[in-house]
């Protein structure tokens, strides 16, 4: 158990819908990262937050957004969902914002029908 | 970030040492070598990291060549539960925070 929690574990929805994925980092960790893992793309970095502020952005679509709240949990919002958004979404946390060890959550499996 | 090259797959007999190679010929002086693994569809798990000295922890050993252009992750006594995809990643600790995952090595441990 990494100490990072993600909810829900599974999510099935339809194209065009909007969903929210939630991540609670390890106690004391200030940095939260989001990754997407689809079958044909491998693990792709989406976005990082550090203590409530956006720190780095990867290949995140404009239909996706994220935020980190004062209690340090983070939410990833996916809208206008397409079939290709079906993937595993992982959240990771680290103590520092500069290259600390990342600990990954169990992931949320999103299926878009 | 420097790129890494890993063999796509390897096999190892249970109880034997698994030696997973990684080439990172363009690594910079301030970049560390990290190893993570992903068992089936679970979240990636940190294994070990190092800069230039060999490192050992309860999970594995990391051997980095003197010129730092390659490294080897050693699982001393592989078990079936070590079957996973192993990722070798290089990154600097000061300004590039995110992990850039390549395709990794799929290690299959057999009885």
């Amino acid at each position: 158990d990494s100490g990072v929690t993600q909810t829900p574990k599974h999510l099935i929805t339809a194209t065009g819908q909007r969903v929210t994925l939630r991540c609670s980092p390890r106690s004391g960790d200030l940095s939260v990262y989001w990754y997407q893992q689809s079958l044909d793309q491998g693990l792709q970095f989406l976005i990082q937050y550090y203590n409530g502020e956006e720190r780095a952005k990867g290949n995140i679509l404009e239909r996706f957004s994220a935020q980190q709240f004062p209690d340090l949990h983070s939410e990833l919002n996916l809208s206008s969902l397409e079939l290709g958004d079906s993937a595993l979404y992982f959240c990771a946390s680290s103590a520092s914002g500069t290259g600390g060890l990342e600990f990954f959550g169990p992931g949320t499996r999103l299926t878009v029908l | 970030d420097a790129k890494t090259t890993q063999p796509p797959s390897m096999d190892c007999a249970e109880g034997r040492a698994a030696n997973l190679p990684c080439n990172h010929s363009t690594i910079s002086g301030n970049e560390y070598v990290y190893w993570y693994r992903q068992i089936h569809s679970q979240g990636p798990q940190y294994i070990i990291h190092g800069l230039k000295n060999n490192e050992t922890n309860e999970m594995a050993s990391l051997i980095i060549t003197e010129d730092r252009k390659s490294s080897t992750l050693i699982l001393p006594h592989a078990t079936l539960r070590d079957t996973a995809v192993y990722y070798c990643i290089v990154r600097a600790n000061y300004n590039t925070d995110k992990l850039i995952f390549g395709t990794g090595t799929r290690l299959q441990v057999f009885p």
Side-chain angles (χ1 to χ4, degrees), chain B residues 1-6 22-28 31-33 68-71 88-91 100-103:
Chain B
D1 291 332
K3 292 185 178 178
T4 63
T5 305
Q6 298 178 252
C22 179
N23 286 319
H24 31 79
S25 58
T26 60
I27 191 170
S28 300
E31 288 182 313
Y32 286 71
V33 180
R68 301 209 327 121
K69 293 185 177 182
S70 66
S71 60
C88 169
I89 302 164
V90 296
R91 69 171 183 183
I100 305 297
F101 287 86
T103 52

Side-chain angles (χ1 to χ4, degrees), chain A residues 35 37 45 97-100 102, chain B residues 36 38 91 93 97-99:
Chain A
Y35 290 82
Q37 185 173 35
F45 167 74
T98 54
E102 281 89 340
Chain B
Y36 279 74
Q38 187 176 25
R91 69 171 183 183
N93 247 7
D97 309 327
K98 55 192 181 291
L99 292 167

Side-chain angles (χ1 to χ4, degrees), chain A residues 2 19 24-25 36 48 55 62-64 70-71 75 86 88 95 101 103-104 109-110:
Chain A
S2 66
V19 297
S24 292
Q36 178 193 54
Q48 179 207 357
R55 171 65 67 93
E62 285 192 10
R63 300 183 286 107
F64 296 0
D71 66 352
E75 293 181 356
S86 295
L88 273 166
L101 298 178
F103 293 86
F104 284 76
R109 181 176 292 279
L110 173 66

Side-chain angles (χ1 to χ4, degrees), chain A residues 2-30:
Chain A
S2 66
V4 178
T5 60
Q6 291 186 247
T7 57
K9 195 169 184 178
H10 300 278
L11 197 48
I12 301 174
T13 188
T15 54
Q17 295 299 305
R18 172 190 170 95
V19 297
T20 297
L21 312 184
R22 182 187 169 103
C23 168
S24 292
R26 294 188 317 155
S27 177
D29 283 358
L30 300 178

